[in-house]
Amino acid sequence: MRDNRDCDRDWFYEDTVFSWYESFNAWVGQGLCIDSTSGSAYNLTPEGLIPATFFNICLTQWQEQTISSHFRSDLYFSNGQLNTARIKGRVQYINDKEDQL
């Protein structure tokens, strides 16, 4: 959303995007998602991302924490997997036809 190389406009006002992922990522980055077998913390990639191999494991653990309570209604699960997620932000008004989707 912040960096769309195919678009020459920003659709959200700067510093208004509010997403569950930032909180979730920070929580994992603090070493709070624990492998139940080894007891060790999962780590982010060098790029600061949550690897797919333990994304759902950590998401389940994060949802059990108080910190996730503000975001629970933003996540929709189907068959135990994250299906849809909502982000919030203050969008800029579009007033010319060429910018509309």
Side-chain angles (χ1 to χ4, degrees), residues 20-60:
W20 62 275
Y21 184 78
E22 290 176 354
S23 173
F24 173 49
N25 184 284
W27 182 82
V28 174
Q30 293 169 4
L32 299 173
C33 182
I34 306 299
D35 181 333
S36 62
T37 305
S38 69
S40 60
Y42 288 109
N43 295 311
L44 299 176
T45 67
E47 295 81 21
L49 302 174
I50 302 167
T53 53
F54 56 83
F55 184 92
N56 286 317
I57 295 166
C58 290
L59 187 58
T60 299

Side-chain angles (χ1 to χ4, degrees), residues 13 18 54 74:
Y13 284 102
F18 189 62
F54 56 83
D74 294 336

Side-chain angles (χ1 to χ4, degrees), residues 52 75 80 82:
L75 304 172
L82 180 62

